[in-house]
Short mmCIF file of all heavy atoms in Angstrom, two decimals:
data_model
loop_
_atom_site.label_atom_id
_atom_site.label_comp_id
_atom_site.label_asym_id
_atom_site.label_seq_id
_atom_site.Cartn_x
_atom_site.Cartn_y
_atom_site.Cartn_z
N ARG A 295 -30.83 -2.54 -3.61
CA ARG A 295 -30.65 -2.68 -2.21
C ARG A 295 -29.60 -3.85 -2.00
O ARG A 295 -29.51 -4.79 -2.73
CB ARG A 295 -31.89 -2.91 -1.34
CG ARG A 295 -32.55 -4.25 -1.72
CD ARG A 295 -33.96 -4.21 -0.98
NE ARG A 295 -33.93 -4.63 0.41
CZ ARG A 295 -34.09 -5.89 0.82
NH1 ARG A 295 -34.38 -6.79 -0.09
NH2 ARG A 295 -34.04 -6.17 2.03
N LEU A 296 -28.78 -3.61 -0.95
CA LEU A 296 -27.76 -4.58 -0.61
C LEU A 296 -27.88 -4.90 0.87
O LEU A 296 -27.94 -3.96 1.74
CB LEU A 296 -26.37 -3.95 -0.84
CG LEU A 296 -25.19 -4.61 -0.24
CD1 LEU A 296 -24.92 -6.09 -0.70
CD2 LEU A 296 -23.88 -3.87 -0.37
N VAL A 297 -28.05 -6.15 1.25
CA VAL A 297 -28.12 -6.57 2.64
C VAL A 297 -26.86 -7.28 2.98
O VAL A 297 -26.53 -8.27 2.32
CB VAL A 297 -29.37 -7.44 2.87
CG1 VAL A 297 -29.40 -7.87 4.37
CG2 VAL A 297 -30.62 -6.71 2.59
N LEU A 298 -26.09 -6.73 3.98
CA LEU A 298 -24.86 -7.40 4.45
C LEU A 298 -25.31 -8.23 5.68
O LEU A 298 -26.02 -7.68 6.64
CB LEU A 298 -23.86 -6.37 4.89
CG LEU A 298 -23.33 -5.44 3.81
CD1 LEU A 298 -22.65 -4.26 4.36
CD2 LEU A 298 -22.40 -6.18 2.93
N SER A 299 -24.95 -9.47 5.76
CA SER A 299 -25.32 -10.23 6.96
C SER A 299 -24.22 -11.19 7.38
O SER A 299 -23.41 -11.61 6.57
CB SER A 299 -26.59 -11.06 6.65
OG SER A 299 -26.35 -11.92 5.57
N VAL A 300 -24.13 -11.44 8.64
CA VAL A 300 -23.24 -12.40 9.24
C VAL A 300 -24.02 -13.30 10.10
O VAL A 300 -24.86 -12.85 10.90
CB VAL A 300 -22.09 -11.67 9.97
CG1 VAL A 300 -21.35 -12.60 10.84
CG2 VAL A 300 -21.19 -10.92 9.13
N ASN A 301 -23.80 -14.60 10.06
CA ASN A 301 -24.50 -15.57 11.03
C ASN A 301 -23.37 -16.37 11.60
O ASN A 301 -22.87 -17.35 10.89
CB ASN A 301 -25.51 -16.33 10.23
CG ASN A 301 -26.42 -17.05 11.13
OD1 ASN A 301 -26.20 -17.04 12.36
ND2 ASN A 301 -27.44 -17.68 10.66
N ALA A 302 -23.01 -16.17 12.80
CA ALA A 302 -22.02 -16.96 13.46
C ALA A 302 -22.67 -17.67 14.64
O ALA A 302 -23.12 -17.08 15.72
CB ALA A 302 -20.95 -16.08 14.05
N PRO A 303 -22.93 -18.98 14.51
CA PRO A 303 -23.77 -19.83 15.42
C PRO A 303 -23.31 -19.56 16.90
O PRO A 303 -24.08 -19.47 17.82
CB PRO A 303 -23.54 -21.23 15.06
CG PRO A 303 -23.13 -21.17 13.66
CD PRO A 303 -22.42 -19.85 13.40
N ASP A 304 -21.96 -19.51 17.13
CA ASP A 304 -21.52 -19.34 18.46
C ASP A 304 -21.54 -17.91 19.03
O ASP A 304 -21.48 -17.74 20.29
CB ASP A 304 -20.05 -19.88 18.64
CG ASP A 304 -19.15 -19.28 17.52
OD1 ASP A 304 -19.70 -18.70 16.52
OD2 ASP A 304 -17.92 -19.47 17.68
N ALA A 305 -21.61 -16.92 18.13
CA ALA A 305 -21.57 -15.57 18.62
C ALA A 305 -22.93 -14.77 18.41
O ALA A 305 -23.18 -13.94 19.21
CB ALA A 305 -20.41 -14.76 17.93
N GLY A 306 -23.59 -15.04 17.34
CA GLY A 306 -24.79 -14.30 17.09
C GLY A 306 -24.91 -13.93 15.63
O GLY A 306 -24.28 -14.59 14.79
N ALA A 307 -25.73 -12.96 15.38
CA ALA A 307 -25.98 -12.58 13.93
C ALA A 307 -26.01 -11.08 13.87
O ALA A 307 -26.41 -10.42 14.79
CB ALA A 307 -27.27 -13.29 13.40
N ALA A 308 -25.77 -10.64 12.60
CA ALA A 308 -25.93 -9.18 12.28
C ALA A 308 -26.38 -8.95 10.93
O ALA A 308 -26.16 -9.76 10.06
CB ALA A 308 -24.52 -8.52 12.54
N GLU A 309 -27.02 -7.86 10.72
CA GLU A 309 -27.57 -7.53 9.35
C GLU A 309 -27.63 -6.02 9.19
O GLU A 309 -27.94 -5.27 10.14
CB GLU A 309 -28.94 -8.12 9.20
CG GLU A 309 -29.45 -8.12 7.82
CD GLU A 309 -30.86 -8.88 7.70
OE1 GLU A 309 -30.81 -10.13 7.86
OE2 GLU A 309 -31.89 -8.24 7.46
N GLU A 310 -27.20 -5.50 8.06
CA GLU A 310 -27.32 -4.12 7.74
C GLU A 310 -27.77 -3.93 6.24
O GLU A 310 -27.26 -4.68 5.40
CB GLU A 310 -26.12 -3.39 8.01
CG GLU A 310 -26.19 -1.88 7.72
CD GLU A 310 -25.14 -1.01 8.43
OE1 GLU A 310 -24.53 -1.52 9.45
OE2 GLU A 310 -24.91 0.10 8.02
N GLU A 311 -28.68 -3.05 6.06
CA GLU A 311 -29.12 -2.77 4.64
C GLU A 311 -28.55 -1.44 4.13
O GLU A 311 -28.43 -0.45 4.85
CB GLU A 311 -30.65 -2.73 4.55
CG GLU A 311 -31.22 -2.74 3.17
CD GLU A 311 -32.72 -2.79 3.13
OE1 GLU A 311 -33.30 -3.68 3.89
OE2 GLU A 311 -33.31 -2.07 2.42
N LEU A 312 -28.10 -1.43 2.86
CA LEU A 312 -27.60 -0.24 2.28
C LEU A 312 -28.36 0.04 0.95
O LEU A 312 -28.71 -0.90 0.20
CB LEU A 312 -26.13 -0.43 1.83
CG LEU A 312 -25.14 -0.47 2.97
CD1 LEU A 312 -23.73 -0.74 2.31
CD2 LEU A 312 -25.00 0.90 3.72
N ALA A 313 -28.60 1.28 0.63
CA ALA A 313 -29.11 1.75 -0.69
C ALA A 313 -27.97 1.76 -1.66
O ALA A 313 -27.01 2.53 -1.46
CB ALA A 313 -29.79 3.00 -0.56
N VAL A 314 -28.13 1.13 -2.76
CA VAL A 314 -27.07 1.04 -3.74
C VAL A 314 -27.73 1.09 -5.15
O VAL A 314 -28.88 1.14 -5.30
CB VAL A 314 -26.25 -0.31 -3.64
CG1 VAL A 314 -25.58 -0.51 -2.29
CG2 VAL A 314 -27.19 -1.50 -3.87
#
Side-chain angles (χ1 to χ4, degrees):
R295 65 191 276 267
L296 163 66
V297 177
L298 297 164
S299 60
V300 167
N301 193 353
D304 49 345
E309 188 173 298
E310 181 159 343
E311 189 174 315
L312 288 175
V314 297

